[in-house]
Amino acid sequence: MHPVITTVLQRLALGLLTLFVVSLIIFSSIEFLPGDFGEAILGQAALPETVAAFRKELGLDLPLHERYLEWVGGVITGDLGNSFSGRGSSGGADRSRPVIDLIAPRLGNTLFLAGMAAIIAVPLALFLGITAALYRGSIYDRVVNALTLTTISFPEFFVAYILILFFSSFFKVFPSLANIDPSADFWERVYLSALPAITLTLVIVAHMMRMTRAAIINLMASPYIEMADLKGVSKSKIIIYHALPNAWAPIVNVIAFNLAYLVVGVVVVEVVFVYPGVGQLMVDAVTTRDVPVVQACALIFAITYIMLNLFADIISIITNPRLLHPR
Amino acid sequence: MDIKDLEKAAVEGKLDRREFIKRATALGLAAPFATSLLTQSVHAGMTPKKGGKFTFGSSHGSTTDSLDPGTHENGFATNLVFAYANHLFEVDNTGKLIPELAESFEASKDAKTWVIKLRKGVEFHNGKPMTADDVIAAMNHHRGEDTKSAVKSLLSAVTEIKKTGSHEVTFTLNAGNADFPFILSDYHLAILPAFEGKMDWQAGFGTGGYIIDRFEPGVRATFKRNPNYFKSGRAHFDEVEMVSLGDTTARQSAVMNQEVDAIYRVDPKTVHLLGRNPNLSILEVTGTLHYTFPMRVDQAPFDNYDLRMAVKLSVDREALVNKILLGHGAIGNDHPISTSQPFHNGEMTQRKYDPDKARHHLKKSGFSGTLDLSTSDAAFAGAVDASLLIKDSAAKAGLDINVVREPKDGYWSNVWNKKAWCACYWGGRPTVDWMFAAAYMNDGKWNDTAWKTGPAADRFNKIVLEARSELDTNKRRAMYYEAQVLVNDDGGALIPMFANHIHAVSKKIGHDGQVAGNWEMDGSKAIERWWFA
């Protein structure tokens, strides 16, 4: 079998194992949270009888392992279960929404924002990293480094508020509310999501840019680059044709890491811009102990990490002839 | 200069809020009244006009919200339900109870039997006419063994609901209650269409002035005006969008950048900055929301009257109002009835910070040691700071308090109503009886002070029960005045302050001049009461 396929299969198997462990961790950590759905949803107005009625209907009175097996069984057959919220009224009819209906639109929004931020951030970071390596030690290199390090050093919400101040209050270029509508067309979405996407870009560019720069500079000291230099190849050609192909592995790993962050870690940005993403959904679900939603979100996040890492590994193999054609 | 000139000067921007209140108070007006006068005159004098799209930012809203009225618990849900549905009765913007879907009502002498005639010709949004069957199904939704409604206990006194005509329903109670129609105005008790004898809330049809266009829990709800609305002079906007803006900064920047027309829960710390915005006016209303520190009288050492009195006297209420509410509120007198309510006892002496008297009571109680005060900002914004202020002022009276910071998560299930002394809030209830029944009477499910036995508590329970079925207003007033004195003196609740509702509203918005204080956003009915001038 081709080594790429073997690696993919190995990684997928490992990924499944990881998912299993993650599911155990999620399930048990939710158990440790104080209170349950009934208490959370009724708040100060909770009466023992009403809480018990909730618990009975949601099956929360069953033992832990039974609930876990039921959930895992559902997930394997593609059923993420039903959200606790909107569970039947006194009529007893179950009119709750399936978790998938709850998550799908939110996940779509999150992926849209992540994609938009990635389309701006990844090429920008690569360009800045390569040019910084090219003009290493120059004023340009220092300015780029200082700027990107500044933006990564500020907390996200601060960057967000500064952007709102300049682009929504002083100059009304973009709206400060990015609560996109499901019916909005593509360009309207882009317009509404502009500020959150720029915020995310500013936050992630530094990491990728510095890794690109470091990886290339690291290679610049190797003998084959020296050889190319001695042959009289121009500096930019050396970097693009000789250094970059060998530098892809670390760069792609950092890019994958940042893309995963864009999907799973942007709840602060979502809150500031009131962006209806999956992070906000998960926080809401945790505070109200809507367990099926929390579990589904956590699983999706875990899958995102595993898939992006797998993707990074495949790219490193393909770009590295020694790994692609092992002896 | 009389009050009219003052109002004019304020409206024209010649006077700022502080100056207005100072001068109005000099003219002999009470400060809370002066505040509401100012905010109301800015908008008054406009006649209602139809049209426009009203966008409003709610501080609440969660993805777990549903249209089931039994689970409504936050400001998003109350505004939503008042927009698309109606109730049998309504509390109007002066705090008076008026019939809504009810046309008239009649009570028996003992206030046990209530015959309610329904308005005829009212249709739900799906065209189905509203009848007695719908009302009965709506009420039964909150009754019975397996209901999960938050207001189950509110209707526990109802023994029977009978259809006595196609548009007439008769309620029978196990004890007289002169305020029963007030209970029927509660936002949970929305009248929605019945389907096969059960209330069908899933469809989202009501009789209200607005038809739900889209409801995305935790994000937004959009509405269109109901062309068939039975009320005249209400529901002026063509379209309404309510967006959930939980983050205070996001909410305030949205209203400043005119992306929304109104918000509530403005942060008292930045309200003066919002007030400077030429497009906005700050609308402040004294309501029934109050912050409490219930001491459980069934647990030592709070079973001691003198210790409770020592605690009540060692709190600097003025400092709490000035530092925690930054002046946007009123001091409380250890009873839960607000100055905006009809039976508020204004004759009682206001309890003041008195370290010497507190020391005297502390000595008499024989208590020595440290009191634990459990607190968290889950109780109210600033609860932790308020607790620390209490600790400081009590130290001067020789009372040692240890402030315990509890996690926000699970505060209502693990700390409140369990720990001997903690921080809490009450949104207030429209009637005195209701407030007492919820948290102070011996059968109240949320009696967080556990003040149930003893001569004062017995007397309190007796007179509140008597007042409940008393239809003579003067007699009732005397009873409620005494009940407030009893809670103030012997009860376990430390109630140092009432908070104002603070809204920021675009100057393009008009309203009646009188804004309700029972809930935020004009009694949560701004959507149907306000208009674009």
Side-chain angles (χ1 to χ4, degrees):
Chain A
M1 222 188 316
H2 197 278
V4 177
I5 297 171
T6 342
T7 318
V8 170
L9 290 178
Q10 268 172 2
R11 287 304 164 102
L12 277 178
L14 262 176
L16 283 178
L17 187 70
T18 318
L19 277 182
F20 171 68
V21 176
V22 167
S23 77
L24 277 178
I25 295 173
I26 300 165
F27 201 85
S28 47
S29 52
I30 290 172
E31 272 314 297
F32 288 125
L33 289 175
D36 67 10
F37 182 73
E39 285 175 351
I41 207 90
L42 294 168
Q44 202 192 24
L47 293 181
E49 306 101 88
T50 33
V51 171
F54 262 116
R55 206 168 283 167
K56 186 151 178 271
E57 187 183 304
L58 301 174
L60 291 175
D61 49 351
L62 296 175
L64 187 64
H65 63 275
E66 273 181 44
R67 277 184 282 145
Y68 177 74
L69 287 178
E70 194 184 322
W71 173 58
V72 168
V75 170
I76 290 170
T77 52
D79 175 17
L80 287 172
N82 281 351
S83 159
F84 283 175
S85 66
R87 274 292 168 118
S89 48
S90 43
D94 187 7
R95 291 137 152 180
S96 57
R97 287 178 298 169
V99 170
I100 197 80
D101 287 359
L102 216 66
I103 292 186
R106 297 295 194 108
L107 189 62
N109 289 343
T110 292
L111 291 178
F112 180 82
L113 180 59
M116 193 167 150
I119 285 172
I120 308 173
V122 174
L124 182 68
L126 289 178
F127 173 79
L128 290 178
I130 292 168
T131 46
L134 190 59
Y135 305 108
R136 181 181 170 193
S138 69
I139 301 269
Y140 173 80
D141 182 25
R142 282 179 209 177
V143 168
V144 166
N145 265 313
L147 278 182
T148 52
L149 282 178
T150 311
T151 58
I152 201 179
S153 307
F154 285 122
E156 289 154 313
F157 64 86
F158 181 77
V159 176
Y161 288 145
I162 293 292
L163 288 176
I164 289 181
L165 183 67
F166 280 98
F167 295 106
S168 309
S169 288
F170 291 167
F171 310 101
K172 291 194 190 305
V173 188
F174 295 115
S176 70
L177 287 186
N179 53 346
I180 54 173
D181 211 289
S183 60
D185 65 23
F186 178 77
W187 291 111
E188 203 180 330
R189 273 171 179 258
V190 170
Y191 170 68
L192 287 171
S193 319
L195 285 188
I198 296 171
T199 309
L200 289 173
T201 303
L202 290 177
V203 171
I204 61 168
V205 146
H207 196 187
M208 295 189 286
M209 171 261 157
R210 293 196 43 100
M211 183 49 94
T212 311
R213 180 178 174 274
I216 290 173
I217 286 174
N218 194 25
L219 284 171
M220 295 301 265
S222 27
Y224 79 95
I225 300 282
E226 234 164 73
M227 177 68 204
D229 206 9
L230 289 174
K231 274 201 310 197
V233 183
S234 77
K235 198 112 190 245
S236 51
K237 271 196 176 157
I238 291 180
I239 286 181
I240 290 163
Y241 293 110
H242 299 280
L244 201 53
N246 284 313
W248 272 125
I251 297 172
V252 163
N253 269 306
V254 168
I255 291 177
F257 180 79
N258 279 292
L259 291 185
Y261 166 79
L262 284 179
V263 176
V264 309
V266 296
V267 66
V268 173
V269 174
E270 283 178 14
V271 168
V272 171
F273 291 103
V274 202
Y275 190 86
V278 85
Q280 184 61 51
L281 176 74
M282 186 167 174
V283 170
D284 275 356
V286 170
T287 46
T288 51
R289 311 285 183 266
D290 194 347
V291 181
V293 177
V294 180
Q295 288 166 340
C297 290
L299 265 190
I300 288 172
F301 291 168
I303 291 172
T304 309
Y305 261 101
I306 292 168
M307 293 307 287
L308 282 169
N309 273 316
L310 177 66
F311 190 63
D313 283 343
I314 296 171
I315 291 196
S316 339
I317 294 171
I318 292 173
T319 55
N320 190 331
R322 273 176 304 184
L323 291 174
L324 194 61
H325 309 289
R327 261 185 291 177
Chain B
M1 198 178 211
D2 73 359
I3 192 69
K4 284 272 168 270
D5 299 326
L6 267 186
E7 270 186 56
K8 198 161 159 268
V11 174
E12 286 164 1
K14 287 181 200 151
L15 278 179
D16 68 5
R17 177 179 165 272
R18 207 173 277 269
E19 190 61 17
F20 175 85
I21 291 169
K22 219 155 85 193
R23 295 204 194 170
T25 341
L27 282 167
L29 281 179
F33 181 63
T35 325
S36 54
L37 196 63
L38 166 65
T39 49
Q40 287 167 13
S41 44
V42 171
H43 292 269
M46 307 180 192
T47 37
K49 224 165 60 185
K50 298 261 168 206
K53 182 183 176 189
F54 178 56
T55 318
F56 124 62
S58 166
S59 333
H60 298 101
S62 151
T63 32
T64 45
D65 289 348
S66 86
L67 289 175
D68 178 357
T71 61
H72 286 349
E73 54 118 19
N74 61 37
F76 195 92
T78 53
N79 280 290
L80 175 96
V81 77
F82 281 132
Y84 88 94
N86 294 109
H87 299 69
L88 289 174
F89 293 90
E90 170 188 358
V91 177
D92 76 0
N93 47 13
T94 60
K96 219 175 73 203
L97 189 80
I98 54 170
E100 195 172 37
L101 285 175
E103 197 175 57
S104 61
F105 63 95
E106 230 174 278
S108 63
K109 279 233 166 60
D110 57 0
K112 272 188 182 175
T113 314
W114 291 82
V115 181
I116 292 168
K117 283 206 164 53
L118 304 176
R119 206 178 270 271
K120 288 190 179 109
V122 177
E123 280 182 4
F124 290 107
H125 299 152
N126 58 357
K128 183 181 171 310
M130 191 265 310
T131 66
D133 294 320
D134 302 306
V135 173
I136 292 172
M139 295 299 144
N140 285 339
H141 180 74
H142 308 278
R143 300 170 74 223
E145 277 302 298
D146 58 345
T147 183
K148 292 188 295 293
S149 169
V151 289
K152 183 182 176 182
S153 59
L154 207 55
L155 291 179
S156 59
V158 179
T159 49
E160 198 188 9
I161 305 177
K162 230 173 43 205
K163 179 177 173 180
T164 43
S166 67
H167 287 82
E168 190 183 282
V169 181
T170 304
F171 291 80
T172 315
L173 315 182
N174 57 15
N177 186 349
D179 283 332
F180 185 65
F182 264 105
I183 288 182
L184 296 177
S185 76
D186 183 77
Y187 62 85
H188 296 95
L189 303 178
I191 307 301
L192 305 180
F195 180 70
E196 292 174 352
K198 298 247 185 278
M199 180 168 86
D200 181 22
W201 53 265
Q202 190 76 357
F205 294 126
T207 53
Y210 288 90
I211 302 170
I212 299 181
D213 196 24
R214 215 171 47 229
F215 172 48
E216 293 168 54
V219 185
R220 67 162 68 71
T222 57
F223 308 87
K224 285 205 166 61
R225 188 170 53 219
N226 175 6
N228 270 336
Y229 195 35
F230 68 89
K231 279 189 204 175
S232 55
R234 289 292 184 221
H236 304 288
F237 303 114
D238 286 339
E239 278 176 73
V240 175
E241 178 169 5
M242 183 159 69
V243 285
S244 172
L245 304 173
D247 184 57
T248 310
T249 317
R251 192 162 66 240
Q252 296 190 178
S253 65
V255 79
M256 279 184 83
N257 301 332
Q258 296 172 53
E259 288 173 43
V260 298
D261 301 308
I263 58 165
Y264 59 95
R265 295 227 174 154
V266 174
D267 187 349
K269 288 184 189 121
T270 44
V271 64
H272 63 287
L273 296 172
L274 272 187
R276 277 191 220 153
N277 189 311
N279 304 314
L280 294 178
S281 61
I282 302 298
L283 183 65
E284 242 183 270
V285 192
T286 311
T288 52
L289 172 69
H290 52 284
Y291 298 153
T292 72
F293 294 89
M295 303 176 263
R296 293 189 68 87
V297 303
D298 61 345
Q299 289 180 29
F302 296 109
D303 51 356
N304 184 311
Y305 168 83
D306 284 295
L307 181 74
R308 296 202 294 274
M309 195 48 81
V311 170
K312 290 177 190 172
L313 285 166
S314 61
V315 174
D316 189 350
R317 291 152 206 263
E318 301 273 351
L320 284 176
V321 171
N322 288 333
K323 289 177 182 155
I324 303 299
L325 303 174
L326 295 143
H328 300 277
I331 52 174
N333 200 13
D334 296 332
H335 66 75
I337 309 307
S338 140
T339 49
S340 67
Q341 280 172 294
F343 293 115
H344 168 82
N345 184 347
E347 295 163 4
M348 215 190 312
T349 351
Q350 171 64 49
R351 186 163 287 143
K352 287 204 170 70
Y353 178 44
D354 192 338
D356 292 333
K357 240 169 140 185
R359 205 181 283 274
H360 163 75
H361 280 285
L362 182 64
K363 210 173 150 202
K364 217 171 137 198
S365 76
F367 175 78
S368 65
T370 308
L371 289 175
D372 279 343
L373 171 56
S374 297
T375 187
S376 157
D377 279 352
F380 57 88
V384 175
D385 294 341
S387 306
L388 291 169
L389 281 174
I390 291 178
K391 175 193 162 94
D392 276 0
S393 63
K396 291 191 192 106
L399 188 60
D400 196 11
I401 293 174
N402 175 34
V403 174
V404 185
R405 239 187 129 137
E406 304 279 357
K408 265 188 175 185
D409 237 12
Y411 185 80
W412 298 112
S413 27
N414 302 329
V415 178
W416 176 74
N417 223 349
K418 294 203 169 55
K419 293 279 164 76
W421 190 22
C422 70
C424 173
Y425 82 96
W426 281 93
R429 296 292 184 272
T431 67
V432 175
D433 178 65
W434 194 338
M435 188 65 235
F436 283 154
Y440 295 89
M441 290 188 66
N442 53 16
D443 58 347
K445 295 289 202 300
W446 308 310
N447 188 334
D448 54 10
T449 52
W451 184 59
K452 293 176 178 173
T453 50
D458 291 344
R459 172 80 189 145
F460 169 83
N461 280 290
K462 188 169 161 276
I463 53 174
V464 174
L465 270 183
E466 272 171 28
R468 188 176 289 172
S469 50
E470 179 58 65
L471 295 167
D472 180 333
T473 313
N474 286 330
K475 283 188 192 155
R476 275 188 105 188
R477 178 173 298 116
M479 291 170 178
Y480 283 145
Y481 271 31
E482 190 190 342
Q484 289 170 52
V485 172
L486 289 168
V487 174
N488 159 286
D489 182 57
D490 190 70
L494 165 66
I495 305 176
M497 53 186 158
F498 281 76
N500 283 354
H501 300 312
I502 314 176
H503 316 76
V505 183
S506 158
K507 285 202 171 141
K508 289 181 288 183
I509 297 287
H511 53 68
D512 281 344
Q514 174 72 42
V515 173
N518 52 339
W519 300 105
E520 286 153 316
M521 294 301 288
D522 206 348
S524 281
K525 287 199 162 205
I527 291 179
E528 80 159 38
R529 286 182 183 162
W530 294 0
W531 62 83
F532 274 115

